[in-house]
Every structure is written in structure tokens, then in C-alpha cells.
Amino acid sequence: MADGRLARALPSLLAVTAALGACFVALAAALGDAGLAAEAFGQMALGGFGDVPRWLSTGDAAAVLRPLGESAGKASVLLLAGLSVAVAFQVGLFNIGAQGQLLWGGLAAAVVGAAVQLPPALHLPVCLLAAAAAGAAWALLPTALKLRRGVHEVISTIMLNWVAVALVENWLVVGPLQGPAGAGTAEVHPSAVMPRLLGESSRLNLGLPLSLAAAAAVAAWLLRTTHGLETRAVGRGQEAARAAGLPVEGRTWTAMAVAGALAGLAGAVLVLGSELRYPGRLAAPYGFDGIAMALIGGNHPLGVAASSLLFGALRAGGTRMQLLGVHRGFPELIQGLALLFVAARLGWAWLLLRRKETPRA
Amino acid sequence: MLELLEALLASTLDYAPALVFAALGATLSERAGVVSLHVEGLMRTGAFVAAVAALSLPTPLAVCVGMAAAAAVAGVHALLSLRLRADQVISGMALNLVALSLFSFLLEARFSPTGTPPIAQLSRHGLPALEGVPLLRALNGHTALTWLALALPFALSFLLYRTAWGLRVRAVGEAPAAVATLGVSVAGLRAACVVGGGLLAGLGGAVLSTSTLDRFEQHMPAGLGFMALAAMVFGRWSPLGAFGAAVFFAAGNALRVGLASSAPGVLAVVPQGVLMALPYALTLGVLAVQGGRGQAPAALGQPYDPEHR
């Protein structure tokens, strides 16, 4: 069993390693100095996983906790977005729309966080629920188009992403929902902010445990319940599932609602964890990064968690590469290449199978 | 009123070429049966490489270099999706992510975080004879690429619908097995269309950095590649349809920008963001009304395996 899991994770590990290697070679070539490139990668590691040498030599725990807090912030958003894409994949749909669902989730969290007065123990959960509901609602549009009108979800979710960007960022947050501080909504009440777990020494907040709990819950649902098994059966083969008497449409609705809710939560973690309001433009396109996380993680909730933790750390560490004049977007290049290698990997498997079969034929 | 229309037409003709070329590129590749979500990445490649090449080469030549670079990226898509049987949607999105991060990295490493230094724009031309004609004089003062964008859709339409090669391309997107029985290489023909689509989408990107603006900017093409996909779907996967949709979207954009400066009162009633959502919402509406796969080629996205029938 353990061997089987390792064998399944191996191609992704190889792809990530290959991407790291390729980017190292490219950086060394671009800088004309392999030593400098190695130093930049070292800085990325120190910035992502914590400056352990400094902690050991000076006893300054913040040298480790602060970078880990930054990594956790990125990892939790990546993880929720990745889970969104992975859950949709499990039911056989390609959720390119995580980005749009994330924007609506972030907006709902910001609005409920700023406009509603509630005791702290209640306010944050209500904000999260609102974000999940907003994301789920936006995900149900392409689902309805798919199930009722047969419109392919790849095209419809791409279109809905840009509808969301236009409506949220070019209208709502610069129009009816604009706060006093220019483009963007008003700041949320302190009772809606994700509490920090380690005080002032680190920005580590509730987002990371929340996203890890989401991964565990999704894993339990998909792998340990009948409902989850049926969902995966629909994803593996709709006709077979229908022939077996499974409620194909019902499982598709549920899975897409969960996918949208997860992406909405990613937006909420972004807004309530670091931005504290919906800004004029909501950060990086984490919804698209979610596609990379899902595929590098093999669409398995725990695989998505592993790849999100890794790339969250690398991307947080990227800011430290700037010390050596390397653009902080460098880790995203590693991530893009890793996804490209994973995409190609599915093909390699096909080629190898073919080679094996040919002599017999 | 006439002047307003002329300004609107001129602004449409400035905005449309990038969208037209990219939509034609996507159409060519999808008609051959290969999904083209990587158009955004191709445009970014064309825009960046053309701008950088123009720093040391004459700009027209630099545009060609940008096209070649985008064609090379499209070649990677062809390799992944045709030779290695990768999922075409995944491969396309992966290339988008790579183009986004790679050119951000190169831009910051070589120039500045926001954009390249200014370059010599493509020269603008006009027919003296049109100068006195109302409305039509808006055609003057554009680069040669604008004129090309008005002619190329008809050329591509002729190629696809009036030549034997075009028939094969359309057939390979509908029923590849039938084309294979003619002794035509399905993968070869598809690869040619994907790379050709890359040239066109790269040209669309190069327009942005050499005609619309005079430099590459960090956010280029800012989603235009996806709007080109919308134009392709809205135009029912035909070159002239995609052209019409692209011009329609461009005119809508020109109208919105024009309203923002000349009649802001209108935008208080219909907000800009709602207008900006329209191209995508309309495309969704058309798909919802048509139902099913719309007019998409039957074998779109399906790898061709000669050993399976």
C-alpha cells in the first residue's frame, strides 16, 4: 500500500525535481555564474523554510517563524484553490473557473467582514460561510450550463472568470462597494480577521490549519464515504456510472458546489488573512495556480497539500531571492515548468505502454 | 456626430488587430482539432520577444522574430499534445503559466519591473485619396498590420474553405481517421496548424508592443488572449466569424473608452465593469442558446490514435 502511494507520487516528484534542475541551469546560464545561482536557491530555501542556521547560532526563533508564516499564508491559498480544481477533476470536470470563484469569495468575505457587526467567535465563521456560498454559487453557473445545455465547462469557466474580474474589480469595488480609502472595499472589522497563531513574531494565521482541515475533509469524503466513491465513479466514466444507477447529475452538482466553495474560501483566506479588505486588484491569479497544484498533486487531496506546502514555501522564499537581484517571480517559473513536465508525464506513460505492447502485437 | 463616429472607428481599428490575429490563430489550430487555451501565453511571448528584438533590430523584423518565438512555444504545445498525448487543456494552461512567469522574470532581470524601454513603433500609413472621404479617412494613420488584419481573415477563409489543403485541415478536426485513410499524416497536419496558429497569435501579441504601444508592459496581454478565444467561439470557429466577433468586441471597447472620456454620465447608468463583462457574457449566452458543443469541431481535443477506431 505504502509502495503503491510512493509509486503514484514518483512522477510528480520527478517533475518537480526536473523543474528545479532546469530552472537552476537556466538561472546559472542567465547569471553566468553557477555559484551565484546556488546562492539564490539557498536564499529561496532560507526564505521559504526559515533561516535555520541563524536560529541555531543566535537562538532567534523569529528567523524561522517569520518566513514560515509567509510560506503558510501562500500555501493555504494555493491549497484551497488546488483542492477546488482537484475536486472538480474527481467528478470529471476541469474547473478553470477557480479564479472567478475565488474573486467572489474574497469579495463576500470582505463585505460581510466590514458591513456586519458580530461577536468575534461568530463573525469569522459567518464571513467564511459567505465566501464559500459565493464561490459555490458562481461554480453552479457553469455546472448548470454543462448539465442543462451541454456547454463544455472549460469554455464557460474561462468566460465566467473574466465576467467576474469585470464585475468585481472594474465595477463593484470601484463603485457601489467602494470603501473610504479609494479603490477597494472598506477594511473588515478586527472580529473578522483571521487570528494569528504565534503572536507578533509571525504572520502565521488560522488559514493554514483551515486549509489543511479542508484537505483532510475532502480526502475523507472522496476516499472514505460512499458519496465520495460515487463522485469519483462519475468522474471515471459517466456512462458506466449512469448504467450502475448512480445519480450522475446530483454528484456533479455537489462536487462543483464543493469546488466553488473551496475556491471561495481561498479568496476569504487572502482577504481576511493578509489584505484585510478587498483591494482594487486581488493579488496573484491563485485560481490558475490551483490548476498547477491539483495536477502536480495528482488530484489527490494529500498530494495537493504536499505540492501547495512546497510551492507556498518556494514562492515565499522568492522574495528573498531579490537580495541577489533575482525576480521574486522566479519560483512561479519553477511551478509552471513542473506543471508542463507533469502534463508531458501523462504522455510518457502512454508512450511507454505503447512500446511495451507493440512487440506482442 | 460624424467626427465621433470617425474617432470610434479609428479607435476600433487600433484595438482590433491584436484580437483579430489571435482569434484567427486560435481558429486555425482548433479547426485542426487541437485546443488552444495557450493563446494568451503566445500573445505574451510575441509581445515580449518583438519588443526586445526591436531594441536592436528594425521593428518590422522584430515583429517577425516575435512571431517565430510564439510559433516555437506553439511547437511545444504540438509536441506535448500530439506526440506525447498530453491533455491539451492542461498543456495550454501550463504554457500560459510558464509564459506569464518567464517573461515577468526576464523583464525584471533585464529591464525594469514595469516594462521595456521604448522602441521605434511600426510606421503609420494612409492613402492620401481617403483623406477627403468622410468616415473612411479613419482608415488612415494606422500601421500596415491594421490593414493586414482586415485582409487576412478573408485569406484564411479562402484557404480553409476553397483549397484542398483547407478541406484536409477541416476534416482532420472533424474525422481524423478519414483523413488518415487518404495517406495524410494527421499529426503532421495538426502540428502545422498549431504552429501556424502560433505565428498568428504571436503576431497579435507583437501588435500590442510595436503598434498599440511602443514597449512591452508587465501585464500584456492582460486577458486579450482569452477574449480572442471568446471571439473564436462567438464566431463559430470560422475565420470570418472570428473576425466579425473580434471587431465587434473591439468596437464595444472603443465605445466604452470613448464614453468614459466624452459622456461619463452614461457610465453612471451602465457601469464600465458591466460593459467589460459583455463580450464574455454574450459568448456564454450564445453557447447556452445553441447548447451542446456549439459549432466546435467534432474531434476537438481528442488525441488521434491510429490503432484505435
Side-chain angles (χ1 to χ4, degrees):
Chain A
M1 189 67 189
D3 287 347
R5 269 185 207 159
L6 188 65
R8 271 195 7 217
L10 196 61
S12 286
L13 288 176
L14 283 177
V16 172
T17 315
L20 280 167
C23 285
F24 178 78
V25 173
L27 186 63
L31 298 172
D33 182 353
L36 199 58
E39 210 179 316
F41 268 61
Q43 289 293 342
M44 177 167 67
L46 292 180
F49 300 105
D51 196 340
V52 178
R54 193 164 139 217
W55 174 48
L56 291 179
S57 62
T58 65
D60 177 15
V64 172
L65 295 180
R66 186 168 296 118
L68 280 182
E70 302 304 313
S71 303
K74 295 214 182 329
S76 49
V77 181
L78 285 175
L79 175 49
L80 287 166
L83 284 173
S84 167
V85 179
V87 165
F89 263 126
Q90 293 287 359
V91 81
L93 297 182
F94 201 152
N95 183 20
I96 293 183
Q99 180 65 16
Q101 295 143 23
L102 182 152
L103 295 188
W104 284 110
L107 183 69
V111 169
V112 175
V116 180
Q117 293 270 18
L118 281 173
L122 214 57
H123 202 176
L124 184 59
V126 169
C127 288
L128 294 177
L129 272 181
W138 198 245
L140 291 181
L141 277 172
T143 317
L145 284 170
K146 173 92 185 178
L147 294 178
R148 297 277 173 266
R149 304 294 306 154
V151 177
H152 200 290
E153 78 281 0
V154 166
I155 288 288
S156 62
T157 50
I158 286 178
M159 298 298 134
L160 284 167
N161 278 339
W162 294 96
V163 173
V165 170
L167 291 183
V168 173
E169 297 193 341
N170 293 307
W171 175 36
L172 293 173
V173 304
V174 292
L177 299 179
Q178 185 172 337
T185 61
E187 195 156 310
V188 298
H189 294 299
S191 53
V193 174
M194 292 256 169
R196 294 203 179 163
L197 302 179
L198 295 174
E200 284 313 300
S201 65
S202 164
R203 296 210 297 172
L204 177 70
N205 62 36
L206 197 60
L208 187 70
L210 179 79
S211 62
L212 288 173
V218 168
W221 164 50
L222 285 174
L223 305 173
R224 292 278 180 272
T225 68
T226 317
H227 190 283
L229 176 72
E230 290 175 358
T231 302
R232 288 187 294 138
V234 171
R236 288 291 174 87
Q238 251 194 36
E239 289 317 309
R242 190 168 283 131
L246 297 183
V248 171
E249 296 212 340
R251 294 296 171 268
T252 308
W253 283 112
T254 321
M256 280 305 282
V258 170
L262 287 164
L265 283 177
V269 167
L270 212 47
V271 164
L272 304 177
S274 47
E275 304 282 353
L276 304 190
R277 67 190 194 113
Y278 194 107
R281 293 247 172 275
L282 189 60
Y286 280 107
F288 293 121
D289 295 324
I291 300 172
M293 292 305 109
L295 289 163
I296 294 171
N299 289 324
H300 189 292
L302 304 183
V304 181
S307 74
S308 301
L309 290 174
L310 173 67
F311 281 101
L314 292 187
R315 290 172 68 156
T319 42
R320 196 150 160 168
M321 289 181 116
Q322 281 177 310
L323 295 176
L324 296 168
V326 179
H327 181 39
R328 67 190 150 74
F330 191 76
E332 283 155 57
L333 183 57
I334 302 176
Q335 176 193 309
L337 273 184
L339 175 58
L340 209 54
F341 289 145
V342 168
R345 179 266 288 182
L346 303 171
W348 291 335
W350 179 85
L351 274 186
L352 288 176
L353 276 178
R354 234 187 96 118
R355 296 250 158 81
K356 264 189 217 156
E357 276 169 8
T358 317
R360 265 188 269 137
Chain B
M1 189 61 201
L2 192 64
E3 275 158 30
L4 213 61
L5 273 180
E6 275 172 8
L8 207 61
L9 187 58
S11 153
T12 305
L13 288 174
D14 259 344
Y15 187 80
L19 208 48
V20 169
F21 292 130
L24 290 181
T27 304
L28 178 61
S29 145
E30 295 224 338
R31 278 316 283 257
V34 183
V35 178
S36 296
L37 298 189
H38 58 311
V39 171
E40 176 87 359
L42 294 177
M43 289 183 82
R44 189 165 169 85
T45 308
F48 180 82
V49 175
V52 171
L55 290 171
S56 49
L57 292 175
T59 307
L61 205 59
V63 170
C64 297
V65 176
M67 290 171 69
V73 174
V76 174
H77 185 59
L79 175 75
L80 284 172
S81 56
L82 299 174
R83 177 86 185 104
L84 294 177
R85 312 289 157 126
D87 185 291
Q88 295 170 8
V89 174
I90 297 175
S91 163
M93 291 309 288
L95 286 172
N96 282 342
L97 285 175
V98 169
L100 184 65
S101 49
L102 176 63
F103 297 120
S104 299
F105 172 67
L106 289 178
L107 182 68
E108 184 143 336
R110 298 287 306 278
F111 306 103
S112 83
T114 51
T116 61
I119 55 163
Q121 274 185 310
L122 287 180
S123 52
R124 291 167 184 273
H125 308 278
L127 295 176
L130 286 182
E131 221 26 79
V133 189
L135 221 53
L136 283 188
R137 64 178 152 225
L139 283 169
N140 281 349
H142 298 284
T143 65
L145 290 179
T146 295
W147 297 84
L148 184 63
L150 295 176
L152 202 58
F154 296 92
L156 187 62
S157 185
F158 180 84
L159 199 64
L160 275 181
Y161 293 102
R162 294 278 181 274
T163 67
W165 185 81
L167 177 65
R168 284 178 182 175
V169 169
R170 284 182 294 130
V172 92
E174 302 287 344
V179 180
T181 60
L182 296 175
V184 177
S185 159
V186 171
L189 194 52
R190 284 184 166 172
C193 290
V194 171
V195 172
L199 282 174
L200 286 172
L203 179 59
V207 170
L208 294 174
S209 59
T210 62
S211 305
T212 315
L213 279 182
D214 62 346
R215 71 190 74 199
F216 175 83
E217 284 196 338
Q218 161 59 21
H219 293 293
M220 275 181 188
L224 267 188
F226 291 107
M227 193 186 272
L229 287 178
M232 170 192 77
V233 176
F234 198 73
R236 301 174 160 214
W237 281 269
S238 86
L240 292 183
F243 170 62
V247 171
F248 174 60
F249 292 167
N253 188 65
L255 185 64
R256 177 178 62 78
V257 174
L259 283 176
S261 60
S262 60
V266 179
L267 292 178
V269 183
V270 186
Q272 287 227 42
V274 174
L275 293 177
M276 288 167 91
L278 268 185
Y280 310 106
L282 282 175
T283 304
L284 272 176
V286 167
L287 283 174
V289 170
Q290 280 181 348
R293 294 167 55 88
Q295 306 287 317
L300 183 61
Q302 294 164 9
Y304 172 66
D305 185 348
E307 288 172 22
H308 282 89
R309 284 289 141 81

